[in-house]
Amino acid sequence: MNLSPLQKARYEYVPKLPGMLRAGISEISVKVGEATASVADQDKIKALFPNTYGKNEITFVKGSNTSAAKKQVVGVILSGGQAPGGHNVICGLYDALKATDKGNVLLGFKGGPSGLIDNDYVEFDDAMIDAYRNTGGFDIIGSGRTKLEKEEQFAVVTEVAKKHGLTAIVIIGGDDSNTNAAVLAEYMAANNTGVQVIGCPKTIDGDLKNEDIEASFGFDTATKTYSELIGNIERDANSAKKYWHFIKVMGRSASHVALECALETQPNICLIGEEVAAKKMSLSQIASQIADSVEKRGNAGNNFGVAIIPEGIVEFVPEFSKLIAEINELLAGANTEKFNSLPDWDAKYEFIEKGLTKESMAVFAILPQLIQQQLFLERDPHGNVQVSLIESEKLLSALVKDELEKRKAAGTYKGKFGALHHFFGYEGRCAFPSNFDADYC
Ligand code: FBP
Protein backbone atom coordinates (compact mmCIF):
# COMPACT_ATOMS: atom_id res chain seq x y z
CA MET A 1 0.00 0.00 0.00
CA ASN A 2 1.30 3.50 -0.85
CA LEU A 3 1.00 5.72 2.20
CA SER A 4 0.09 9.37 1.84
CA PRO A 5 2.14 11.95 3.80
CA LEU A 6 -0.92 12.51 6.03
CA GLN A 7 -1.21 8.82 6.77
CA LYS A 8 2.50 8.62 7.60
CA ALA A 9 2.20 11.60 9.92
CA ARG A 10 -0.75 10.05 11.72
CA TYR A 11 1.10 6.73 12.14
CA GLU A 12 3.96 8.64 13.72
CA TYR A 13 1.72 10.52 16.16
CA VAL A 14 2.24 9.26 19.71
CA PRO A 15 -0.91 9.68 21.79
CA LYS A 16 -0.36 11.53 25.05
CA LEU A 17 -1.03 9.42 28.13
CA PRO A 18 -2.24 10.77 31.46
CA GLY A 19 0.70 11.11 33.92
CA MET A 20 -0.75 8.30 35.97
CA LEU A 21 -0.39 5.79 33.12
CA ARG A 22 3.04 7.02 32.02
CA ALA A 23 4.59 5.61 35.17
CA GLY A 24 4.67 2.00 33.97
CA ILE A 25 2.55 -0.93 34.98
CA SER A 26 4.49 -1.81 38.15
CA GLU A 27 3.77 1.62 39.64
CA ILE A 28 0.02 1.64 39.11
CA SER A 29 -2.05 0.76 42.11
CA VAL A 30 -5.78 0.55 42.61
CA LYS A 31 -7.82 2.52 45.14
CA VAL A 32 -11.15 0.98 46.03
CA GLY A 33 -13.83 3.64 46.56
CA GLU A 34 -17.48 3.77 47.55
CA ALA A 35 -20.10 1.30 46.32
CA THR A 36 -21.69 2.52 43.09
CA ALA A 37 -25.44 2.90 42.52
CA SER A 38 -27.60 3.39 39.46
CA VAL A 39 -28.95 6.91 38.92
CA ALA A 40 -32.56 5.70 39.12
CA ASP A 41 -34.67 2.59 39.77
CA GLN A 42 -32.04 1.22 42.18
CA ASP A 43 -34.18 -1.62 43.56
CA LYS A 44 -35.35 -2.82 40.14
CA ILE A 45 -31.83 -2.76 38.70
CA LYS A 46 -30.38 -4.45 41.77
CA ALA A 47 -32.93 -7.24 41.32
CA LEU A 48 -31.99 -7.64 37.66
CA PHE A 49 -28.23 -7.58 38.33
CA PRO A 50 -27.81 -9.32 41.69
CA ASN A 51 -24.18 -10.34 41.01
CA THR A 52 -22.86 -7.15 39.48
CA TYR A 53 -24.91 -4.31 40.98
CA GLY A 54 -23.23 -1.91 43.42
CA LYS A 55 -19.59 -2.79 42.71
CA ASN A 56 -17.10 -0.40 44.29
CA GLU A 57 -15.67 2.45 42.30
CA ILE A 58 -12.06 1.87 41.30
CA THR A 59 -9.49 4.61 40.80
CA PHE A 60 -5.94 4.17 39.55
CA VAL A 61 -3.36 5.78 41.81
CA LYS A 62 0.44 5.83 41.94
CA GLY A 63 1.83 3.10 44.12
CA SER A 64 3.14 -0.38 43.77
CA ASN A 65 1.11 -2.82 41.75
CA THR A 66 0.11 -5.66 44.04
CA SER A 67 -1.98 -7.60 41.49
CA ALA A 68 -0.93 -11.20 41.18
CA ALA A 69 0.77 -11.94 37.86
CA LYS A 70 -1.69 -13.73 35.62
CA LYS A 71 -1.64 -14.47 31.91
CA GLN A 72 -4.33 -12.41 30.20
CA VAL A 73 -6.20 -13.49 27.07
CA VAL A 74 -8.55 -10.68 26.18
CA GLY A 75 -11.24 -10.65 23.50
CA VAL A 76 -12.40 -7.36 22.02
CA ILE A 77 -15.31 -6.42 19.76
CA LEU A 78 -16.43 -3.22 18.06
CA SER A 79 -20.17 -2.78 18.15
CA GLY A 80 -22.60 -0.36 16.47
CA GLY A 81 -21.89 2.70 14.34
CA GLN A 82 -18.29 3.63 13.59
CA ALA A 83 -16.65 6.32 15.73
CA PRO A 84 -13.15 7.79 15.20
CA GLY A 85 -10.76 6.43 17.83
CA GLY A 86 -12.00 2.83 17.95
CA HIS A 87 -8.74 1.57 16.46
CA ASN A 88 -6.78 3.38 19.16
CA VAL A 89 -8.80 1.67 21.91
CA ILE A 90 -7.66 -1.64 20.45
CA CYS A 91 -4.06 -0.43 20.01
CA GLY A 92 -4.08 0.84 23.61
CA LEU A 93 -5.34 -2.49 24.92
CA TYR A 94 -2.72 -4.33 22.92
CA ASP A 95 0.11 -2.05 24.08
CA ALA A 96 -0.89 -2.35 27.73
CA LEU A 97 -1.26 -6.13 27.58
CA LYS A 98 2.08 -6.58 25.87
CA ALA A 99 3.83 -4.07 28.16
CA THR A 100 2.66 -6.15 31.12
CA ASP A 101 3.70 -9.47 29.67
CA LYS A 102 4.76 -10.36 26.13
CA GLY A 103 2.80 -13.60 26.50
CA ASN A 104 -0.53 -11.83 26.92
CA VAL A 105 -2.88 -12.17 23.99
CA LEU A 106 -5.48 -9.88 22.39
CA LEU A 107 -8.09 -11.48 20.13
CA GLY A 108 -10.35 -9.36 17.93
CA PHE A 109 -13.73 -10.92 17.20
CA LYS A 110 -14.91 -9.90 13.74
CA GLY A 111 -18.06 -8.12 12.59
CA GLY A 112 -19.36 -7.05 16.00
CA PRO A 113 -21.07 -9.23 18.61
CA SER A 114 -21.80 -11.94 16.05
CA GLY A 115 -18.03 -12.61 15.84
CA LEU A 116 -18.12 -13.73 19.47
CA ILE A 117 -20.97 -16.12 18.77
CA ASP A 118 -19.46 -17.47 15.54
CA ASN A 119 -15.96 -17.63 17.04
CA ASP A 120 -14.72 -15.62 14.07
CA TYR A 121 -11.54 -13.93 15.28
CA VAL A 122 -8.03 -12.74 14.60
CA GLU A 123 -5.07 -12.68 16.98
CA PHE A 124 -3.43 -9.27 16.88
CA ASP A 125 0.29 -8.87 16.34
CA ASP A 126 2.58 -5.85 16.10
CA ALA A 127 2.34 -5.52 12.30
CA MET A 128 -1.45 -5.50 12.28
CA ILE A 129 -1.76 -3.09 15.20
CA ASP A 130 0.86 -0.70 13.77
CA ALA A 131 -1.07 -0.45 10.49
CA TYR A 132 -4.12 0.93 12.31
CA ARG A 133 -2.67 3.37 14.87
CA ASN A 134 -4.44 6.76 14.89
CA THR A 135 -6.63 5.82 11.93
CA GLY A 136 -10.41 6.23 11.69
CA GLY A 137 -12.94 3.51 10.96
CA PHE A 138 -13.63 0.13 12.49
CA ASP A 139 -12.21 -1.89 9.59
CA ILE A 140 -9.50 -3.54 11.70
CA ILE A 141 -12.10 -6.17 12.69
CA GLY A 142 -15.38 -4.66 11.46
CA SER A 143 -18.48 -3.88 13.47
CA GLY A 144 -22.07 -5.07 13.66
CA ARG A 145 -25.37 -4.53 15.42
CA THR A 146 -26.32 -8.07 16.49
CA LYS A 147 -27.84 -7.88 19.97
CA LEU A 148 -26.36 -10.10 22.69
CA GLU A 149 -29.40 -10.58 24.87
CA LYS A 150 -30.52 -14.21 24.90
CA GLU A 151 -29.49 -16.86 27.38
CA GLU A 152 -28.53 -19.22 24.47
CA GLN A 153 -26.21 -16.56 23.04
CA PHE A 154 -24.52 -16.09 26.41
CA ALA A 155 -24.02 -19.84 26.71
CA VAL A 156 -22.31 -19.89 23.28
CA VAL A 157 -20.13 -16.90 24.23
CA THR A 158 -19.14 -18.72 27.44
CA GLU A 159 -18.07 -21.74 25.39
CA VAL A 160 -16.04 -19.54 23.04
CA ALA A 161 -14.47 -17.82 26.06
CA LYS A 162 -13.54 -21.21 27.57
CA LYS A 163 -12.07 -22.41 24.31
CA HIS A 164 -9.65 -19.47 24.16
CA GLY A 165 -9.13 -19.20 27.92
CA LEU A 166 -10.44 -15.63 27.83
CA THR A 167 -9.93 -13.68 31.04
CA ALA A 168 -11.85 -10.63 29.81
CA ILE A 169 -14.13 -9.45 27.02
CA VAL A 170 -14.09 -5.77 26.06
CA ILE A 171 -17.19 -4.47 24.27
CA ILE A 172 -16.61 -1.14 22.58
CA GLY A 173 -20.07 0.22 21.83
CA GLY A 174 -22.95 2.60 22.38
CA ASP A 175 -25.88 2.48 24.78
CA ASP A 176 -27.39 -0.71 23.36
CA SER A 177 -24.02 -2.48 23.29
CA ASN A 178 -23.20 -1.40 26.84
CA THR A 179 -26.58 -2.70 27.99
CA ASN A 180 -25.66 -5.99 26.32
CA ALA A 181 -22.27 -5.83 28.08
CA ALA A 182 -23.98 -5.35 31.45
CA VAL A 183 -26.28 -8.33 30.88
CA LEU A 184 -23.39 -10.50 29.65
CA ALA A 185 -21.31 -9.46 32.69
CA GLU A 186 -24.15 -10.53 34.99
CA TYR A 187 -24.36 -13.90 33.22
CA MET A 188 -20.59 -14.42 33.46
CA ALA A 189 -20.60 -13.54 37.17
CA ALA A 190 -23.69 -15.64 37.96
CA ASN A 191 -22.07 -18.65 36.29
CA ASN A 192 -18.66 -18.13 37.93
CA THR A 193 -16.91 -18.15 34.58
CA GLY A 194 -14.11 -15.89 35.81
CA VAL A 195 -14.44 -13.77 32.67
CA GLN A 196 -14.56 -10.01 33.21
CA VAL A 197 -16.81 -8.04 30.85
CA ILE A 198 -15.76 -4.46 30.25
CA GLY A 199 -17.87 -1.86 28.40
CA CYS A 200 -16.07 0.94 26.62
CA PRO A 201 -18.42 3.85 25.78
CA LYS A 202 -18.36 4.78 22.11
CA THR A 203 -20.63 6.91 19.95
CA ILE A 204 -20.39 10.00 17.82
CA ASP A 205 -23.87 10.91 19.08
CA GLY A 206 -22.55 12.24 22.39
CA ASP A 207 -25.50 10.79 24.30
CA LEU A 208 -23.58 8.29 26.41
CA LYS A 209 -22.15 10.20 29.34
CA ASN A 210 -22.16 10.73 33.07
CA GLU A 211 -20.16 12.79 35.52
CA ASP A 212 -17.04 10.70 34.86
CA ILE A 213 -17.40 10.52 31.09
CA GLU A 214 -17.96 14.01 29.69
CA ALA A 215 -18.01 12.81 26.09
CA SER A 216 -17.85 9.46 24.41
CA PHE A 217 -15.03 9.01 21.94
CA GLY A 218 -15.70 9.97 18.34
CA PHE A 219 -17.92 12.95 19.17
CA ASP A 220 -15.02 15.43 18.99
CA THR A 221 -13.77 14.25 15.59
CA ALA A 222 -17.20 13.83 14.01
CA THR A 223 -18.43 17.26 15.07
CA LYS A 224 -15.17 18.88 13.92
CA THR A 225 -15.51 17.16 10.54
CA TYR A 226 -19.15 18.22 10.08
CA SER A 227 -18.30 21.72 11.29
CA GLU A 228 -15.57 22.04 8.68
CA LEU A 229 -18.08 21.07 5.97
CA ILE A 230 -20.77 23.36 7.39
CA GLY A 231 -18.25 26.21 7.57
CA ASN A 232 -17.37 25.64 3.89
CA ILE A 233 -21.07 25.78 3.01
CA GLU A 234 -21.52 28.96 5.03
CA ARG A 235 -18.68 30.57 3.08
CA ASP A 236 -20.26 29.42 -0.16
CA ALA A 237 -23.67 30.72 0.91
CA ASN A 238 -22.12 34.06 1.77
CA SER A 239 -20.32 34.16 -1.59
CA ALA A 240 -23.15 33.09 -3.90
CA LYS A 241 -25.89 34.73 -1.81
CA LYS A 242 -28.64 32.67 -3.43
CA TYR A 243 -29.39 29.53 -1.39
CA TRP A 244 -30.68 28.50 1.97
CA HIS A 245 -28.88 25.31 2.98
CA PHE A 246 -30.80 22.83 5.14
CA ILE A 247 -28.18 20.58 6.71
CA LYS A 248 -29.20 17.48 8.62
CA VAL A 249 -26.54 16.03 10.94
CA MET A 250 -26.38 12.56 12.47
CA GLY A 251 -26.86 11.93 16.13
CA ARG A 252 -29.89 9.67 16.30
CA SER A 253 -32.53 11.07 18.71
CA ALA A 254 -30.20 13.37 20.61
CA SER A 255 -29.26 16.85 19.34
CA HIS A 256 -25.77 17.06 20.89
CA VAL A 257 -24.04 16.82 17.48
CA ALA A 258 -26.26 19.57 16.02
CA LEU A 259 -25.68 21.83 19.02
CA GLU A 260 -21.90 21.33 19.03
CA CYS A 261 -21.72 22.03 15.26
CA ALA A 262 -23.83 25.15 15.79
CA LEU A 263 -21.48 26.36 18.54
CA GLU A 264 -18.53 25.78 16.21
CA THR A 265 -20.05 27.33 13.08
CA GLN A 266 -22.68 29.87 14.22
CA PRO A 267 -25.32 29.15 11.56
CA ASN A 268 -28.46 31.26 11.15
CA ILE A 269 -30.66 28.54 12.61
CA CYS A 270 -30.11 25.35 14.59
CA LEU A 271 -33.07 23.29 15.74
CA ILE A 272 -32.77 21.35 19.00
CA GLY A 273 -35.06 18.33 19.29
CA GLU A 274 -35.22 18.44 23.08
CA GLU A 275 -36.39 22.08 22.93
CA VAL A 276 -39.04 21.21 20.34
CA ALA A 277 -40.29 18.47 22.69
CA ALA A 278 -40.24 20.72 25.78
CA LYS A 279 -42.26 23.38 23.96
CA LYS A 280 -44.49 20.71 22.33
CA MET A 281 -43.99 22.41 18.97
CA SER A 282 -45.93 21.42 15.88
CA LEU A 283 -44.38 21.08 12.43
CA SER A 284 -46.08 24.33 11.34
CA GLN A 285 -44.66 26.17 14.35
CA ILE A 286 -41.15 24.98 13.53
CA ALA A 287 -41.59 25.93 9.87
CA SER A 288 -42.96 29.30 10.87
CA GLN A 289 -40.01 29.96 13.18
CA ILE A 290 -37.56 29.19 10.35
CA ALA A 291 -39.64 31.28 7.95
CA ASP A 292 -39.35 34.25 10.34
CA SER A 293 -35.56 34.17 9.96
CA VAL A 294 -35.75 33.68 6.21
CA GLU A 295 -38.21 36.58 5.93
CA LYS A 296 -36.14 38.90 8.10
CA ARG A 297 -32.98 38.16 6.16
CA GLY A 298 -34.81 38.22 2.80
CA ASN A 299 -36.36 41.61 3.47
CA ALA A 300 -32.87 42.93 4.19
CA GLY A 301 -31.68 41.59 0.82
CA ASN A 302 -30.03 38.43 2.21
CA ASN A 303 -31.74 35.56 0.45
CA PHE A 304 -29.40 32.93 1.82
CA GLY A 305 -28.52 31.20 5.04
CA VAL A 306 -27.80 27.95 6.82
CA ALA A 307 -30.07 25.87 9.05
CA ILE A 308 -28.81 22.84 11.00
CA ILE A 309 -31.36 20.09 11.61
CA PRO A 310 -30.71 17.22 14.06
CA GLU A 311 -31.31 13.77 12.59
CA GLY A 312 -34.07 12.81 15.04
CA ILE A 313 -36.01 16.09 14.99
CA VAL A 314 -39.35 14.65 13.84
CA GLU A 315 -39.44 12.19 16.75
CA PHE A 316 -39.68 15.17 19.09
CA VAL A 317 -42.74 16.70 17.43
CA PRO A 318 -45.68 15.28 19.42
CA GLU A 319 -48.19 15.37 16.53
CA PHE A 320 -45.68 13.63 14.26
CA SER A 321 -44.96 10.86 16.78
CA LYS A 322 -48.72 10.30 17.04
CA LEU A 323 -48.97 10.10 13.25
CA ILE A 324 -46.15 7.53 13.11
CA ALA A 325 -47.82 5.43 15.85
CA GLU A 326 -51.09 5.48 13.90
CA ILE A 327 -49.38 4.51 10.64
CA ASN A 328 -47.66 1.58 12.40
CA GLU A 329 -51.04 0.45 13.70
CA LEU A 330 -52.80 1.05 10.36
CA LEU A 331 -50.39 -1.24 8.54
CA ALA A 332 -50.08 -3.90 11.25
CA GLY A 333 -50.50 -7.57 10.29
CA ALA A 334 -52.37 -8.39 7.09
CA ASN A 335 -53.06 -4.73 6.35
CA THR A 336 -49.58 -4.26 4.90
CA GLU A 337 -50.36 -6.72 2.12
CA LYS A 338 -53.72 -5.06 1.48
CA PHE A 339 -52.03 -1.65 1.29
CA ASN A 340 -49.25 -2.90 -0.99
CA SER A 341 -51.74 -4.44 -3.40
CA LEU A 342 -53.52 -1.12 -4.04
CA PRO A 343 -52.84 -0.08 -7.65
CA ASP A 344 -51.57 3.48 -7.28
CA TRP A 345 -50.79 6.31 -4.85
CA ASP A 346 -54.35 7.77 -5.19
CA ALA A 347 -55.88 4.49 -4.00
CA LYS A 348 -53.29 4.28 -1.23
CA TYR A 349 -54.03 7.85 -0.18
CA GLU A 350 -57.73 7.03 0.10
CA PHE A 351 -56.89 4.01 2.31
CA ILE A 352 -54.73 6.24 4.51
CA GLU A 353 -57.43 8.91 4.75
CA LYS A 354 -59.93 6.35 5.97
CA GLY A 355 -57.52 4.83 8.51
CA LEU A 356 -56.02 7.85 10.27
CA THR A 357 -57.71 10.04 12.88
CA LYS A 358 -58.74 13.52 11.75
CA GLU A 359 -55.84 15.15 13.65
CA SER A 360 -53.19 12.86 12.22
CA MET A 361 -54.64 13.18 8.73
CA ALA A 362 -54.32 16.96 9.05
CA VAL A 363 -50.61 16.54 9.82
CA PHE A 364 -50.17 13.99 7.02
CA ALA A 365 -51.90 16.28 4.52
CA ILE A 366 -49.39 19.13 4.96
CA LEU A 367 -46.39 16.88 4.27
CA PRO A 368 -44.75 16.98 0.84
CA GLN A 369 -45.68 13.90 -1.22
CA LEU A 370 -42.10 12.61 -1.13
CA ILE A 371 -42.26 12.40 2.67
CA GLN A 372 -45.79 10.96 2.67
CA GLN A 373 -44.57 8.16 0.45
CA GLN A 374 -41.42 7.61 2.52
CA LEU A 375 -43.63 7.06 5.59
CA PHE A 376 -45.53 4.28 3.89
CA LEU A 377 -43.01 2.68 1.63
CA GLU A 378 -39.70 2.50 3.49
CA ARG A 379 -40.48 0.33 6.48
CA ASP A 380 -38.37 -1.91 8.70
CA PRO A 381 -38.67 -5.74 8.82
CA HIS A 382 -41.31 -5.38 11.57
CA GLY A 383 -43.40 -3.16 9.28
CA ASN A 384 -42.67 0.01 11.28
CA VAL A 385 -41.88 3.41 9.82
CA GLN A 386 -38.12 4.00 9.77
CA VAL A 387 -37.95 7.44 11.32
CA SER A 388 -34.21 7.73 10.65
CA LEU A 389 -34.84 7.51 6.90
CA ILE A 390 -37.23 10.46 6.85
CA GLU A 391 -35.59 13.30 4.97
CA SER A 392 -36.47 15.91 7.58
CA GLU A 393 -34.26 18.55 5.95
CA LYS A 394 -36.42 18.31 2.80
CA LEU A 395 -39.63 18.11 4.83
CA LEU A 396 -38.85 21.31 6.73
CA SER A 397 -37.65 23.27 3.72
CA ALA A 398 -40.86 22.33 1.83
CA LEU A 399 -42.98 23.52 4.76
CA VAL A 400 -40.98 26.75 4.98
CA LYS A 401 -41.49 27.30 1.26
CA ASP A 402 -45.28 26.93 1.65
CA GLU A 403 -45.27 29.33 4.59
CA LEU A 404 -43.21 31.91 2.65
CA GLU A 405 -45.58 31.70 -0.30
CA LYS A 406 -48.45 32.59 2.02
CA ARG A 407 -46.46 35.48 3.42
CA LYS A 408 -45.60 36.66 -0.08
CA ALA A 409 -49.30 36.62 -1.02
CA ALA A 410 -50.03 38.61 2.15
CA GLY A 411 -47.34 41.11 1.13
CA THR A 412 -45.09 40.71 4.20
CA TYR A 413 -42.28 38.79 2.50
CA LYS A 414 -40.49 40.17 -0.50
CA GLY A 415 -37.47 37.89 -0.81
CA LYS A 416 -36.57 34.82 -2.87
CA PHE A 417 -36.22 31.33 -1.42
CA GLY A 418 -34.11 28.60 -3.01
CA ALA A 419 -33.23 25.63 -0.81
CA LEU A 420 -30.43 23.04 -1.04
CA HIS A 421 -30.22 19.95 1.16
CA HIS A 422 -27.37 18.03 2.77
CA PHE A 423 -27.00 15.14 5.17
CA PHE A 424 -23.73 14.86 7.09
CA GLY A 425 -23.32 11.56 8.89
CA TYR A 426 -21.15 8.93 7.29
CA GLU A 427 -18.66 11.65 6.22
CA GLY A 428 -17.54 12.13 9.83
CA ARG A 429 -17.77 8.70 11.41
CA CYS A 430 -14.51 7.34 10.02
CA ALA A 431 -12.35 10.46 9.80
CA PHE A 432 -8.82 10.35 11.19
CA PRO A 433 -9.37 10.80 14.95
CA SER A 434 -8.56 14.28 16.24
CA ASN A 435 -5.62 14.41 18.67
CA PHE A 436 -8.23 14.59 21.45
CA ASP A 437 -9.89 11.34 20.36
CA ALA A 438 -6.56 9.65 19.55
CA ASP A 439 -5.24 10.48 23.07
CA TYR A 440 -8.51 9.72 24.80
CA CYS A 441 -8.83 6.29 23.17
P1 FBP B 1 -24.47 4.29 17.62
O1 FBP B 1 -23.21 4.86 18.14
O2 FBP B 1 -25.57 4.28 18.66
O3 FBP B 1 -24.27 2.94 17.03
O4 FBP B 1 -25.01 5.26 16.47
C1 FBP B 1 -24.17 5.98 15.65
C2 FBP B 1 -24.87 6.41 14.38
O5 FBP B 1 -23.89 7.00 13.55
C3 FBP B 1 -26.06 7.36 14.54
O6 FBP B 1 -25.70 8.72 14.61
C4 FBP B 1 -26.85 7.05 13.30
O7 FBP B 1 -28.22 7.35 13.44
C5 FBP B 1 -26.68 5.55 13.14
O8 FBP B 1 -25.40 5.25 13.70
C6 FBP B 1 -26.72 5.08 11.70
O9 FBP B 1 -26.66 3.70 11.69
P2 FBP B 1 -26.22 2.81 10.46
O10 FBP B 1 -24.72 2.84 10.39
O11 FBP B 1 -26.71 1.45 10.82
O12 FBP B 1 -26.81 3.39 9.22
Side-chain angles (χ1 to χ4, degrees):
M1 183 167 56
N2 291 328
L3 299 182
S4 70
L6 173 62
Q7 206 160 355
K8 278 188 201 144
R10 290 316 285 167
Y11 280 151
E12 280 159 20
Y13 179 72
V14 180
K16 298 177 280 300
L17 287 178
M20 183 55 256
L21 297 180
R22 263 180 255 145
I25 213 81
S26 59
E27 290 167 49
I28 298 174
S29 189
V30 158
K31 189 175 132 213
V32 179
E34 300 286 306
T36 54
S38 58
V39 284
D41 299 324
Q42 288 85 359
D43 291 338
K44 271 195 213 159
I45 297 178
K46 197 172 177 179
L48 286 169
F49 296 91
N51 295 283
T52 46
Y53 184 87
K55 292 270 183 203
N56 294 72
E57 191 176 56
I58 296 291
T59 317
F60 292 129
V61 288
K62 276 196 178 159
S64 55
N65 189 343
T66 51
S67 303
K70 171 179 161 194
K71 185 183 171 188
Q72 300 279 356
V73 183
V74 177
V76 62
I77 62 165
L78 291 161
S79 178
Q82 283 70 253
H87 286 163
N88 271 24
V89 176
I90 294 179
C91 297
L93 268 172
Y94 180 85
D95 291 344
L97 283 166
K98 293 291 179 187
T100 312
D101 185 337
K102 282 266 170 246
N104 285 339
V105 174
L106 182 64
L107 304 180
F109 289 88
K110 294 186 193 167
S114 63
L116 262 177
I117 296 172
D118 301 337
N119 191 24
D120 186 8
Y121 69 98
V122 61
E123 181 176 336
F124 292 113
D125 58 20
D126 288 353
M128 187 169 182
I129 288 290
D130 287 346
Y132 286 91
R133 289 188 190 277
N134 307 313
T135 57
F138 278 4
D139 44 316
I140 188 167
I141 43 173
S143 185
R145 290 195 186 277
T146 305
K147 273 188 188 294
L148 285 182
E149 55 188 354
K150 297 192 194 105
E151 193 86 3
E152 307 89 83
Q153 292 174 315
F154 297 148
V156 176
V157 173
T158 307
E159 277 314 302
V160 171
K162 256 195 214 150
K163 193 169 167 196
H164 295 290
L166 294 186
T167 47
I169 297 174
V170 179
I171 297 184
I172 305 172
D175 49 357
D176 268 350
S177 315
N178 273 283
T179 304
N180 294 167
V183 183
L184 179 64
E186 178 63 27
Y187 180 95
M188 291 290 181
N191 291 282
N192 294 316
T193 58
V195 181
Q196 277 183 292
V197 181
I198 298 157
C200 173
K202 160 250 65 163
T203 179
I204 61 159
D205 300 347
D207 59 351
L208 191 57
K209 51 182 166 183
N210 62 21
E211 58 188 23
D212 296 316
I213 301 161
E214 292 173 34
S216 49
F217 77 76
F219 178 77
D220 182 68
T221 310
T223 51
K224 281 196 170 94
T225 308
Y226 303 142
S227 295
E228 182 178 355
L229 297 172
I230 295 167
N232 294 349
I233 288 179
E234 288 178 340
R235 208 83 204 215
D236 196 288
N238 208 25
S239 309
K241 302 194 190 302
K242 58 180 179 180
Y243 297 121
W244 266 88
H245 294 266
F246 284 71
I247 306 174
K248 181 168 79 173
V249 290
M250 253 187 190
R252 235 182 248 287
S253 306
S255 302
H256 302 292
V257 171
L259 178 59
E260 175 61 26
C261 291
L263 291 170
E264 289 186 32
T265 63
Q266 308 285 307
N268 304 93
I269 296 161
C270 175
L271 299 179
I272 299 296
E274 293 77 353
E275 196 178 358
V276 164
K279 294 185 179 162
K280 298 192 173 46
M281 289 175 83
S282 65
L283 282 177
S284 326
Q285 281 170 322
I286 302 172
S288 181
Q289 202 179 67
I290 302 176
D292 289 346
S293 295
V294 177
E295 179 183 317
K296 202 167 162 204
R297 287 180 59 75
N299 288 350
N302 297 319
N303 292 301
F304 61 93
V306 168
I308 300 182
I309 319 281
E311 184 177 29
I313 190 79
V314 289
E315 292 173 50
F316 287 99
V317 180
E319 60 179 16
F320 201 83
S321 301
K322 187 165 178 283
L323 169 67
I324 305 270
E326 283 189 26
I327 294 176
N328 287 340
E329 209 167 301
L330 181 62
L331 292 197
N335 277 349
T336 302
E337 218 172 291
K338 194 166 157 198
F339 177 81
N340 289 344
S341 65
L342 294 169
D344 51 30
W345 180 243
D346 284 347
K348 288 183 165 125
Y349 199 93
E350 211 182 306
F351 175 94
I352 296 165
E353 212 161 13
K354 280 192 195 133
L356 294 180
T357 58
K358 223 169 108 206
E359 302 80 60
S360 288
M361 192 56 212
V363 178
F364 187 73
I366 62 162
L367 304 178
Q369 199 185 78
L370 168 90
I371 304 291
Q372 290 179 336
Q373 293 181 338
Q374 267 175 15
L375 289 178
F376 276 86
L377 303 178
E378 291 171 21
R379 304 158 63 75
D380 73 11
H382 307 285
N384 293 327
V385 174
Q386 298 200 66
V387 184
S388 63
L389 295 185
I390 297 170
E391 292 177 286
S392 40
E393 68 284 23
K394 291 191 183 156
L395 162 64
L396 288 170
S397 88
L399 295 179
V400 170
K401 187 166 175 255
D402 289 350
E403 174 63 23
L404 290 170
E405 272 161 17
K406 282 188 214 147
R407 293 184 187 192
K408 196 159 240 181
T412 55
Y413 170 59
K414 299 179 178 49
K416 281 189 229 138
F417 179 70
L420 291 178
H421 308 103
H422 316 263
F423 172 38
F424 296 149
Y426 301 98
E427 295 82 347
R429 293 200 316 183
C430 286
F432 272 118
S434 61
N435 283 357
F436 173 83
D437 275 328
D439 296 350
Y440 183 18
C441 290

